[in-house]
């Protein structure tokens, strides 16, 4: 049997990390089995549907590198891939059930159903549909329709027996039919419910495995009843564990970023987010933590997915991101960092600079950065001369007596160097320190502040060699003048 899996988000908001992790597990399973990964948009919630959400979901998946084989933008043999374009198919399948006597029209109004549920609650019963429209006579139905009531369509559910869900992650999960009611499969508006449309689509798209979030497990017995009624072979099911917040509550906005686009805006790289998400609920079985996408595909299996909830940890994700900032090829890092340089107002400077210079800057600062936002901030003084001096650094290093003169002497020592490389710069500074009989920090710390506006960063002599002689001399002169005028 050829493996065909699908990721089927509802375009009512941005792509949540839980959804992204589900998409990733589907993608990894498909690729590891030589199968197909299908994208389907479940967009029949017309009130909550957002055009921009649809575009956001597709863009987020592309950014993560989860390319699909069939989908709304690519087509495929089982399209269309938007549920809103498949309404005729759902109505056709619903008519089939109605004609076979496996479903029936329900004329109950929302108010009547609410009153019925309330009465059951008061009687201490589980609120469920009573089946009052199940045995209406043709005359009673005609009378109700003459009043202009448009019926919904309900599936006839057996009153007794059990439904067994054979889950590839959880094993056998048993549901009692007595806990289910005759649920609606088509609304009175002619729009299918989730549990009906989902089954029709999965059957017609020949989906072999449904890999989805644990919260859908309770939908599975209803869907199995729909499969049985329609006469379709159900797929294999695998319900992946929830992602919980550190306090084991449901992950929400109060825990920080939860959407893929938010992580992207905060300077996380897709390779890091993908790697981190793969390990939320899946274990490779050894101590390895850093995986390329190809390695994940080679190692992934549903058998290694946990039954237990995964705990979201922003610190661990940030650690992964810092690792990838150092692991990624410099050209890839440049490509990812460029939008952040533009956002920081450095776009023109970056485009004017030689590409090799920008790559050297990134190589110099990346070991200290945790996000692309930090990477750009730490790089800014390599491209801009009009930076401010850190106030704490000013108090600590620029207010010392004679520091302006010392910076001028440093400038003079550097001006005499013919080859402006790290070794020559350090040798010139060490000579000056020795001649002056001062501690190394007395010259090095104010020089760093003068050249970068900061008190911390990469090695000073590495910075100086990269900035170049002309820039270093100009910045030392600027700092000395600033001290004389402001302190």
């Amino acid at each position: 049997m050829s493996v065909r899996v699908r990721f089927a988000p509802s375009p009512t908001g941005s792509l949540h990390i839980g959804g992204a992790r589900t998409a990733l597990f589907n993608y990894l399973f498909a690729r590891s089995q030589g199968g197909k990964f299908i994208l389907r948009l479940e967009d029949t919630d017309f009130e909550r549907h957002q055009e921009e959400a649809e575009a956001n979901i597709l863009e987020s998946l592309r950014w993560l590198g989860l390319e699909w084989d069939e989908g709304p933008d690519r087509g495929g043999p089982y399209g269309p891939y938007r549920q809103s374009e498949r309404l005729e198919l759902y109505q056709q399948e619903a008519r089939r059930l109605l004609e076979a006597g496996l479903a029936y029209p329900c004329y109950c109004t929302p108010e009547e159903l609410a009153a019925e549920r309330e009465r059951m609650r008061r009687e201490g019963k589980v609120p469920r549909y009573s089946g009052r429209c199940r045995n209406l006579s043709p005359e009673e139905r005609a009378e109700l329709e003459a009043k202009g009531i448009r019926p919904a369509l309900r599936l006839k559910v057996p009153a007794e027996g059990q439904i067994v869900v054979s889950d590839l992650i959880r094993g056998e999960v048993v549901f009692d039919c007595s806990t289910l009611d005759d649920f609606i499969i088509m609304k009175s508006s002619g729009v299918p419910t989730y549990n009906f449309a989902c089954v029709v689509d999965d059957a017609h798209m020949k989906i072999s495995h449904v890999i989805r979030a644990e919260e859908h497990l309770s939908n599975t017995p209803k869907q199995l009843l729909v499969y049985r009624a329609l006469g379709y072979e159900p797929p294999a099911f695998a319900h992946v564990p929830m992602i919980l917040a550190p306090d084991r509550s449901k992950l929400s906005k109060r825990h920080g970023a939860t959407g893929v686009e938010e992580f992207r805006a905060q300077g996380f790289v897709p390779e890091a987010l993908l790697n981190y998400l793969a390990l939320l609920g899946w274990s490779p079985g050894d101590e390895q933590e850093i995986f390329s996408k190809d390695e994940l595909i080679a190692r992934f299996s549903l058998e290694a997915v946990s039954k237990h909830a995964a705990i979201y940890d922003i610190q661990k994700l940030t650690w992964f991101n810092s690792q990838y900032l150092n692991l990624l090829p410099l050209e890839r890092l440049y490509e990812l960092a460029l939008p952040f340089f533009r956002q920081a107002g450095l776009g023109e400077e970056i485009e004017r600079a030689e590409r090799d210079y920008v790559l050297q800057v990134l190589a110099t600062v990346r070991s200290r950065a945790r996000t692309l936002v930090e990477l750009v901030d730490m790089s800014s003084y390599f491209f801009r001369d009009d930076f401010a001096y850190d106030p704490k650094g000013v108090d600590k290093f620029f207010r010392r007596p004679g520091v302006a003169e010392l910076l001028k002497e440093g400038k003079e020592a550097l001006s005499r160097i013919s080859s402006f490389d790290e070794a020559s710069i350090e040798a010139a500074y060490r000579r000056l320190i020795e001649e002056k009989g001062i501690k190394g920090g007395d010259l090095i710390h104010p020089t760093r502040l003068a050249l970068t506006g900061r008190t911390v960063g990469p090695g000073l002599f590495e910075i100086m060699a990269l900035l170049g002689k002309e820039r270093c001399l100009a910045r030392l002169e600027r700092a000395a003048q600033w001290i004389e005028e402001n302190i």
Side-chain angles (χ1 to χ4, degrees), residues 33 41 78 82-83 256 260 310 316 334 375 415 430 462:
Q33 302 296 313
L41 293 173
Y78 303 104
R82 283 186 181 85
Q83 286 190 336
V260 170
K316 187 70 174 179
Y334 175 92
L375 183 78
S415 69
R430 297 295 177 201
E462 187 180 4

Side-chain angles (χ1 to χ4, degrees), residues 205-487:
M205 291 181 181
K206 303 197 182 309
I207 299 302
S208 65
H209 295 74
V210 171
I211 304 167
R212 60 187 178 188
E214 179 187 356
E215 64 203 51
H216 286 293
L217 183 58
S218 60
N219 288 316
T220 311
K222 293 181 179 180
Q223 291 176 12
L224 286 172
L225 288 169
V226 175
Y227 276 107
R228 190 185 301 171
L230 289 169
Y232 294 128
E233 185 69 30
F237 289 96
H239 290 89
V240 300
M242 289 179 71
I243 301 175
L244 297 179
D247 61 1
R248 303 195 74 82
S249 65
K250 188 175 180 181
L251 194 59
S252 66
K253 291 285 182 190
R254 68 188 175 88
H255 299 109
T258 57
V260 170
E261 65 177 351
E262 291 175 278
F263 289 108
R264 184 178 183 177
Q266 289 176 10
F268 289 87
V269 300
E271 291 87 345
L273 186 54
L274 206 68
N275 192 155
Y276 175 69
L277 289 176
L279 296 173
L280 282 180
W282 171 77
S283 171
D286 56 28
E287 298 301 307
Q288 185 176 343
E289 289 189 293
I290 303 295
F291 291 90
S292 68
K293 192 164 70 172
D294 286 343
E295 286 176 309
L296 287 172
I297 290 167
R299 299 282 297 274
F300 184 80
S301 73
L302 288 173
E303 289 76 17
V305 174
S306 173
K307 296 181 185 141
H308 309 295
I311 306 299
Y312 165 75
D313 181 353
I314 187 63
Q315 291 178 325
K316 187 70 174 179
L317 172 57
T318 304
W319 176 83
F320 269 105
N321 208 57
S322 66
Q323 299 300 303
Y324 273 94
L325 291 182
N326 285 284
L327 289 169
L328 289 171
L330 287 170
E331 284 286 354
R332 171 67 175 152
L333 194 58
Y334 175 92
E335 174 193 321
L336 290 166
L338 194 54
F340 291 88
F341 277 114
R342 288 178 179 142
Q343 202 173 301
L346 287 163
E348 287 182 19
E349 289 85 345
I350 294 296
E351 279 150 26
R352 275 201 308 268
E354 292 285 335
R355 174 68 70 94
D356 282 350
Y357 175 71
V358 181
L359 296 181
Q360 283 179 53
V361 169
L362 295 177
T364 300
V365 303
R366 66 178 175 173
S367 65
R368 293 170 173 267
R370 298 174 303 166
T371 66
L372 292 169
V373 173
E374 288 184 1
L375 183 78
V376 165
D377 177 63
M378 291 174 181
S379 306
S380 61
Y381 57 81
F382 283 101
F383 304 101
R384 181 176 284 159
D385 297 314
D386 60 345
F387 51 79
Y389 302 114
D390 175 62
K392 288 183 180 175
V394 169
D395 289 341
K396 195 169 182 182
F397 304 122
F398 277 5
R399 293 191 186 279
R400 291 180 181 173
V403 75
E405 189 55 39
L406 190 57
L407 290 174
K408 288 178 182 176
E409 290 181 45
K411 175 193 167 189
E412 184 60 31
L414 294 174
S415 69
R416 294 194 291 268
I417 300 173
S418 55
S419 178
F420 206 74
D421 54 64
E422 280 185 57
S424 304
I425 294 165
E426 183 171 3
Y429 253 45
R430 297 295 177 201
R431 278 195 301 274
L432 179 58
I433 288 163
E434 195 175 332
E435 285 168 17
K436 301 289 291 181
I438 57 175
K439 292 177 184 171
D442 292 343
L443 176 60
I444 287 169
H445 294 317
T447 297
R448 177 186 293 280
L449 187 60
L451 296 179
T452 69
R454 305 170 186 227
T455 58
V456 293
L460 176 62
F461 305 121
E462 187 180 4
I463 291 172
M464 294 167 88
L466 191 48
L467 282 171
K469 188 173 187 177
E470 189 180 320
R471 252 179 164 168
C472 286
L473 299 184
R475 289 184 184 188
L476 287 169
E477 180 62 38
R478 173 190 178 228
Q481 191 176 334
W482 187 90
I483 293 165
E484 288 168 348
E485 291 172 359
N486 293 280
I487 295 177

Side-chain angles (χ1 to χ4, degrees), residues 75-103:
Y78 303 104
Y81 293 87
R82 283 186 181 85
Q83 286 190 336
S84 59
E85 297 171 10
R86 299 170 67 83
L87 296 178
E88 195 176 316
L89 174 62
Y90 308 133
Q91 287 156 4
Q92 179 186 312
E93 291 284 49
R95 277 195 301 274
R96 191 155 69 84
L97 293 180
L98 189 59
E99 288 163 7
L102 298 171

